[in-house]
Amino acid sequence: MKAILAQLPEKAQEKHGENKRFFAKLKKRPPKKMDYVMQELHKAEFERTDCLQCANCCKTTGPLFTDVDIVRIAKHQRLKPQQFIQRYLRIDEENDYVLQQLPCVFLDSENACTIYDVRPKACREFPHTDRKKFHQISQLTLKNVGICPAAFAIVEAMKKQIKTK
């Protein structure tokens, strides 16, 4: 996995132009069954991929925390929401709550999430490759292929399966 992660940013950069053009075409004319195809590709990839072997998303990027996430996780941590915010979060340049530091403080030495059952929505949905109206999140996907080996593989499979004109 270390070798894959070491090569991932370079591979993603090599494919960036091709992926960007592909997503631009998809956005103009998304296939009718695209969401179904994406859910199938996502499911197949995550049958092969063990996130506990990687956890690159938790090590290199942080999720956005919604107000609902903050209340839920604070309660789990037996903190008041404001205490949770002060201890773990900061407001970024887009006025969103994000982690103060990376890797994620809730990632343990075995690459497991210590708040898995109450983790933020952004973590539950990452890498967002099975999301409805997938064609609407192309910018996010272009970023995620450089972070997540599974997202990279899903996009490569998607380009083979979905033909654009």
Side-chain angles (χ1 to χ4, degrees):
M1 182 54 70
K2 284 184 182 182
I4 291 169
L5 290 175
Q7 296 171 351
L8 188 61
E10 186 178 324
K11 282 183 163 184
Q13 189 58 42
E14 286 173 13
K15 297 281 188 173
H16 184 77
E18 176 184 314
N19 290 345
K20 195 172 178 177
R21 288 186 297 279
F22 178 77
F23 283 121
K25 289 177 183 176
L26 272 185
K27 207 169 203 171
K28 287 179 185 172
R29 295 189 62 170
K32 286 184 172 129
K33 294 184 179 182
M34 187 162 133
D35 288 343
Y36 173 77
V37 170
M38 291 310 298
Q39 288 166 1
E40 289 297 313
L41 292 172
H42 177 94
K43 181 181 171 194
E45 184 57 37
F46 281 99
E47 286 174 0
R48 293 186 293 269
T49 299
D50 178 4
C51 293
L52 293 175
Q53 296 298 312
C54 178
N56 198 43
C57 52
C58 305
K59 294 173 184 174
T60 63
T61 61
L64 301 180
F65 286 75
T66 66
D67 292 339
V68 173
D69 292 331
I70 292 167
V71 169
R72 183 181 62 254
I73 299 166
K75 182 179 178 184
H76 177 78
Q77 296 284 326
R78 299 186 178 169
L79 297 169
K80 291 184 174 158
Q82 197 54 42
Q83 291 173 306
F84 178 80
I85 290 167
Q86 288 175 337
R87 188 174 293 177
Y88 299 110
L89 305 179
R90 67 179 176 82
I91 296 177
D92 71 2
E93 54 281 344
E94 295 173 9
N95 228 19
D96 293 315
Y97 281 111
V98 295
L99 292 168
Q100 289 177 9
Q101 64 185 39
L102 293 173
C104 179
V105 296
F106 302 111
L107 183 67
D108 72 14
S109 61
E110 309 276 308
N111 284 344
C113 177
T114 60
I115 61 166
Y116 188 80
D117 291 337
V118 294
R119 69 196 183 278
K121 181 181 181 205
C123 297
R124 284 193 308 271
E125 294 180 353
F126 191 84
H128 312 285
T129 47
D130 62 345
R131 185 188 260 187
K132 287 185 181 348
K133 298 186 180 177
F134 176 79
H135 65 280
Q136 294 178 347
I137 60 163
S138 59
Q139 291 305 312
L140 180 61
T141 304
L142 286 169
K143 179 182 171 199
N144 290 345
V145 297
I147 297 166
C148 176
F152 183 90
I154 290 165
V155 169
E156 290 304 301
M158 178 180 129
K159 289 187 299 190
K160 291 176 184 162
Q161 195 160 341
I162 298 173
K163 302 298 179 201
T164 59
K165 294 177 183 174

